[in-house]
Amino acid sequence: MKRLFTSESVTNGHPDKVCDQIADGILDALLAEDPASRSACEVIAEPGAVHIMGEITTKAKIDPIAIARNVIKDIGYTKSEYGFDDKANITCSIHEQSGDIAMGVDSSYSDPSTLGAGDQGMMFGYASSDGEESMPLAATLSRRLTMGLRDARVSGKLSYLRPDGKSQVTIEYDGRTPKRIDTVVVSAQHDPDVALEDLRHDIKEKIIKALLPSDMLDENTKYFINPTGRFVLGGPAADTGLTGRKIIADTYGGYAHHGGGAFSGKDPTKVDRTASLALRQIAKTIVEAGIASECELQAAYAIGVAEPVSLLVTAFGTGKVSEDKLTSWVLDNFDLRPSGMIEHLNLRRPIYRDSASFGAFGRTDVKLPWEEVDQNLVESLRKLV
């Protein structure tokens, strides 16, 4: 059965991603000095201004405002004509984590010797055999385009580009098998003096056709490049940014379920981040072992309770063993308590800003522990068949 599915990606200069990177830049600085830091940091960005807020409990001595300026500069917002740059007015109002929450995290309801979950909620992990990244293809390709925009800007290959930008890729599927690219959308922020026809030609030839698989593009593929005709004002100067508003682009492009919890600014005791990372690794392990070509896990937690209240493994009819057997294997081989996931993935360290733009999963440009698969576990899985 023919069907179309679309995923989007945004550049690191998108206003929401500016906020995510500041929040995770602060988290990384906290963990570098005090690995036991607790953080639930939120950021707002608007024309010429940034506000940092949230709950942080730590022994670390950091300067959140200086960190924010460095992140903004690193992204590429360095010119006043952008309407937002590293000279922005930055304010900060941070307070400590609620004692009521801390009490449940410090000592689990069921086992006072271990951490409890930092909140209730459900989390998902997913992997598929669509490509080497074990990700849905539309998510992989849309991200490839936004990273291409970033690289072309930073290298000077397309020197008129500015930091903000978006992409969308629509894949035509036959059942659950990707067949061709139906539509490509790219919107790239640019200097005011570049001709629209030059920009459209450059992006089509030097970004889209250079980065997308040529055997999936055909004469019927549709291209929409800067369809409004002008995108000079961008970033927080054009659209207020906020942490946690790109949760679909951060994960699986909408192809898999999402529990609703954002990642950036949250320390590892927050299960909406940590469990999502751990479940991604488990799903990827199952797919790379060849036990299923597609796998999704859901876990749910209660605040202050260490053990998940539920675990569901789904293979979408592609599994070589029963889902009950897969669930038993997961429970036998992974500790899904917060302390177990933190220790297994070594999460109390400054590794988060790298995943705050261009997605947390399927990354091959940065080293992320939840993307690494233990080959011993792969072999133990294959013995189930």
Side-chain angles (χ1 to χ4, degrees), residues 177-199:
T177 303
K179 291 297 185 181
R180 57 180 292 273
I181 297 172
D182 182 82
T183 306
V184 180
V185 181
V186 175
S187 293
Q189 187 189 11
H190 58 86
D191 288 342
D193 54 354
V194 62
L196 179 59
E197 57 269 27
D198 292 337
L199 179 146

Side-chain angles (χ1 to χ4, degrees), residues 45-356:
E46 60 179 343
V50 171
H51 184 58
I52 304 165
M53 55 191 169
E55 304 87 49
I56 292 177
T57 302
T58 185
K59 295 178 182 178
K61 304 297 182 184
I62 67 165
D63 184 345
I65 292 177
I67 292 168
R69 292 196 193 283
N70 286 334
V71 169
I72 294 166
K73 183 178 180 180
D74 287 348
I75 291 170
Y77 285 112
T78 56
K79 298 179 181 179
S80 59
E81 59 261 37
Y82 292 170
F84 178 85
D85 62 15
D86 56 320
K87 305 299 191 299
N89 177 40
I90 304 179
T91 57
C92 182
S93 58
I94 290 173
H95 57 280
E96 288 195 346
Q97 184 183 55
S98 161
D100 294 347
I101 296 174
M103 180 173 63
V105 177
D106 293 337
S107 179
S108 167
Y109 175 85
S110 55
D111 182 357
S113 67
T114 190
L115 294 174
D119 202 352
Q120 71 173 47
M122 62 282 190
M123 300 85 207
F124 292 88
Y126 176 85
S128 77
S129 57
D130 274 5
E132 64 181 22
E133 299 92 345
S134 301
M135 288 285 287
L137 188 59
T140 294
L141 297 184
S142 60
R143 176 173 61 214
R144 194 176 294 177
L145 294 177
T146 52
M147 293 181 79
L149 290 175
R150 188 269 317 265
D151 294 344
R153 172 178 60 86
V154 171
S155 68
K157 182 179 180 181
L158 298 180
S159 59
Y160 53 76
L161 292 180
R162 292 182 173 185
D164 199 357
K166 288 184 173 184
S167 72
Q168 275 187 188
V169 175
T170 301
I171 301 292
E172 180 182 313
Y173 283 80
D174 181 3
R176 298 186 80 88
T177 303
K179 291 297 185 181
R180 57 180 292 273
I181 297 172
D182 182 82
T183 306
V184 180
V185 181
V186 175
S187 293
Q189 187 189 11
H190 58 86
D191 288 342
D193 54 354
V194 62
L196 179 59
E197 57 269 27
D198 292 337
L199 179 146
R200 286 176 170 166
H201 175 270
D202 287 348
I203 289 179
K204 185 174 182 179
E205 298 300 323
K206 299 179 181 180
I207 303 292
I208 297 173
K209 290 190 173 181
L211 297 176
L212 298 188
S214 58
D215 60 341
M216 296 194 73
L217 298 170
D218 58 34
E219 66 277 6
N220 295 315
T221 300
K222 299 179 284 294
Y223 302 92
F224 298 98
I225 301 169
N226 280 35
T228 66
R230 182 177 172 87
F231 187 5
V232 172
L233 193 65
D239 185 11
T240 300
L242 180 65
T243 41
R245 285 205 301 199
K246 283 289 172 282
I247 59 176
I248 297 301
D250 285 343
T251 52
Y252 307 104
Y255 197 85
H257 289 98
H258 196 296
F263 294 166
S264 291
K266 296 179 180 178
D267 73 87
T269 67
K270 311 297 191 293
V271 285
D272 43 5
R273 182 173 219 167
T274 296
S276 297
L277 305 182
L279 295 174
R280 159 64 179 174
Q281 187 191 53
I282 297 169
K284 188 175 180 183
T285 302
I286 292 170
V287 168
E288 289 202 8
I291 302 302
S293 58
E294 191 173 0
C295 184
E296 182 180 80
L297 293 91
Q298 185 211 51
Y301 290 83
I303 188 168
V305 179
E307 298 284 353
V309 300
S310 71
L311 176 67
L312 173 68
V313 181
T314 305
F316 305 97
T318 70
K320 294 182 179 178
V321 300
S322 71
E323 290 170 351
D324 286 345
K325 187 174 285 191
L326 280 176
T327 300
S328 296
W329 178 84
V330 171
L331 293 173
D332 288 343
N333 288 276
F334 291 89
D335 183 353
L336 294 178
R337 298 175 301 169
S339 57
M341 296 183 290
I342 290 169
E343 181 179 356
H344 172 65
L345 294 172
N346 191 14
L347 295 178
R348 293 191 186 275
R349 54 191 171 120
I351 56 173
Y352 296 100
R353 189 184 156 195
D354 281 343
S355 65

